[in-house]
Each structure stands twice: as C-alpha cells, then as structure tokens.
Amino acid sequence: MLDIEHLRSWIGREDIASEQLTPAVAHRFNATFDRPERPDKGDAAPVLIHLCLAQPAAPTAELGEDGHPARGGFLPPVPLPRRMWAGGSFAFKGDIRVGEVVTRRSVIRDVTVKEGRSGTLCFVTVDHEIDSEGRSVLSERQDIVYRGADNASRPAKPTPEAPPGKFRQAVTPSPALLFRYSALTFNGHRIHYDSPYVRDIEHYPGLIVHGPMQATMLVHYAEKLKGSPLSEFRFRSLSPLFDDADFTLNAEETENGLRLWTSYENGPVAMEAQAT
C-alpha cells in the first residue's frame, strides 16, 4: 500500500544545478547521434543537449541494485521497483550556445497514484526550467512512472500495428549507442547497458532504448523535416523498445505541424509525439 500523502509531501521540492557546456560534450553528443557538425564556442548547441548537463551525481556506493540513486532525495521514495519516462513536453525559447553555463531548476509539481492494467502505478511530474548564461531557453515537463515488478515486458494485450509514416528513418539500437547515451546523461540505470541484469532480474528480452533518447531523435528528425527550429514538442511513451530489433522514426504532416512516432517494423507505436 502506497502512502500517497507522504509521497505528496515532496510536491514543491526544488533542485538547482549548473554545468558549462564544453565543446567536447557537444562533439560527443553529435558523435552519439551520427551528426557531422562539430560546434565550437559560441555556436548554437543541438537541442535537448541540456538532458546531458547538470545531472545528479550520486556516489556509486549510494546506488540501488538497478543503478539508480537511492530514492528519497529530490524525488519521492516511491516503493515500486520499475521506473521509466511516461512522457513530457518541451517549450523551446532560445538556443544554448557552446561555452555557456547552463542552469537547471527542477520542481516536483505533482504525485498521483492510479490502478492500471499492470497494477498500481505512481506518476511523478517534474517541471524543469533551463537557462543559459541567465537567458531562459527551455521549459520542460517530465512525467515519470513507477510500477511493480512483473514479467510483462511486452504489451499483455494485442496492440494495433503502427502504420508506416510518410517520412521514415531506420535506427539500429546497438549496445554501443545505448551505452554512449547513458554515459552522456550520467544515467546508471542498468536496463540500458547490462544484458544479464535486464534479462535475468528485470525479465526483459533485451536492453531498453532510453525514452529521452527516442525523444531526442524525434526532435532532431522533426527539425530536419521542417527545416527550422521547433517551438514545442510533446510526447508520450506507449510501449518499450529493446535492442533486439531495429526500429523506425516516423512522421507525417498535420494541420499544426508534425505527428511523429517510433515503432518496430510491424510493431505498435512505442512513442508518439507532436511537434510545432
């Protein structure tokens, strides 16, 4: 039984951290995503690189079995073992430039509990305000979901096959790609790089493709298709992607911008998004 009133006492908690975006980090970010640009000091940085900056740095001895920092610090101590991104949004206001100091201010906005098909789910909503050298450049909402342990690594009920997008690009989720993104974001969660753990302990069929990495790929794909920066991007995770098969980025035009999604070939939608 979750003590929801205790967990909701975390609402309003705040965390602030800063880090300089160096050219070396920008180069490693672009290399991870096979982007040819090598931005130097003063150049506009690729969008969503802020997810790689000012991340919590808990001592290794304080990590849990799953590789996440022990709970009860900034995030509430939800006593459910599985934690994943459920969705979020980004409102883009300006560029982060290489060489600038980027500051993240995070606030717990809400904590709720729901009963889902896979059991009890606890949702934590976090607001992030990002500034670069004092300029407000981005507002982000992050929805985190916690759930119990089970073997339901694939959807329990049949889900409709995602249609191919008018625009489509294949992605191979190699272990090297997943490890590089974990390293960029200082993410120790073992589901992204430890195959024996993910198979034998969490009972998934393969390494899990990061939700933020899928969102980053879709944002970059939307920018490429539009030929201009985005003003807003909203996304929702519907089913996991693993490293056991290639997946695709898909897009089609809508009245207000682009609808985007990720999916396996002949698989359901994994992440859906809207970009304007």
Side-chain angles (χ1 to χ4, degrees), residues 137-229:
V137 295
L138 187 149
S139 296
E140 175 185 355
R141 190 198 77 243
Q142 180 185 11
D143 301 321
I144 305 168
V145 61
Y146 298 80
R147 65 177 179 81
D150 56 41
N151 293 325
S153 55
R154 301 284 191 184
K157 292 184 177 179
T159 52
E161 181 180 318
K166 176 182 178 181
F167 306 101
R168 202 173 201 202
Q169 177 178 312
V171 178
T172 298
S174 67
L177 171 63
L178 303 189
F179 171 79
R180 280 182 153 198
Y181 191 74
S182 288
L184 277 172
T185 53
F186 204 61
N187 180 354
H189 201 180
R190 294 169 68 184
I191 61 173
H192 301 303
Y193 61 86
D194 188 338
S195 290
Y197 171 82
V198 79
R199 182 182 59 245
D200 300 335
I201 304 300
E202 302 234 6
H203 306 294
Y204 291 118
L207 299 175
I208 295 182
V209 179
H210 313 67
M213 191 176 78
Q214 291 182 60
T216 299
M217 289 178 169
L218 289 175
V219 166
H220 292 174
Y221 195 43
E223 281 193 332
K224 178 181 176 181
L225 294 174
K226 283 190 64 177
S228 61

Side-chain angles (χ1 to χ4, degrees), residues 23-257:
V25 170
H27 294 170
R28 288 196 286 268
F29 182 90
N30 278 350
T32 298
F33 290 104
D34 291 319
R35 296 164 58 95
E37 301 87 357
R38 291 179 61 86
D40 208 339
K41 279 190 175 182
D43 292 338
V47 291
L48 300 198
I49 198 169
H50 75 283
L51 296 172
C52 306
L53 301 172
Q55 293 300 310
T60 302
E62 295 180 7
L63 300 180
E65 182 189 17
D66 64 356
H68 268 311
R71 295 166 191 176
F74 170 64
L75 290 173
V78 180
L80 296 172
R82 303 290 185 260
R83 169 182 157 181
M84 304 184 78
W85 271 37
S89 65
F90 303 98
F92 302 100
K93 305 173 184 176
D95 291 327
I96 294 172
R97 296 200 170 271
V98 177
E100 294 182 337
V101 174
V102 177
T103 298
R104 169 184 55 80
R105 176 178 177 271
S106 305
V107 177
I108 306 290
R109 184 209 293 181
D110 200 7
V111 181
T112 59
V113 173
K114 298 179 181 177
E115 292 298 324
R117 179 160 48 88
S118 59
T120 300
L121 304 173
C122 182
F123 292 87
V124 177
T125 302
V126 184
D127 289 334
H128 305 284
E129 291 294 331
I130 310 299
D131 75 55
S132 192
E133 292 292 327
R135 305 184 322 276
S136 176
V137 295
L138 187 149
S139 296
E140 175 185 355
R141 190 198 77 243
Q142 180 185 11
D143 301 321
I144 305 168
V145 61
Y146 298 80
R147 65 177 179 81
D150 56 41
N151 293 325
S153 55
R154 301 284 191 184
K157 292 184 177 179
T159 52
E161 181 180 318
K166 176 182 178 181
F167 306 101
R168 202 173 201 202
Q169 177 178 312
V171 178
T172 298
S174 67
L177 171 63
L178 303 189
F179 171 79
R180 280 182 153 198
Y181 191 74
S182 288
L184 277 172
T185 53
F186 204 61
N187 180 354
H189 201 180
R190 294 169 68 184
I191 61 173
H192 301 303
Y193 61 86
D194 188 338
S195 290
Y197 171 82
V198 79
R199 182 182 59 245
D200 300 335
I201 304 300
E202 302 234 6
H203 306 294
Y204 291 118
L207 299 175
I208 295 182
V209 179
H210 313 67
M213 191 176 78
Q214 291 182 60
T216 299
M217 289 178 169
L218 289 175
V219 166
H220 292 174
Y221 195 43
E223 281 193 332
K224 178 181 176 181
L225 294 174
K226 283 190 64 177
S228 61
L230 303 183
S231 59
E232 187 174 3
F233 181 84
R234 292 175 286 117
F235 67 98
R236 185 168 64 131
S237 296
L238 300 177
S239 62
L241 291 174
F242 303 99
D243 73 334
D244 57 353
D246 290 355
F247 66 91
T248 56
L249 311 178
N250 299 269
E252 62 184 16
E253 293 120 338
T254 66
E255 184 176 342
N256 299 317

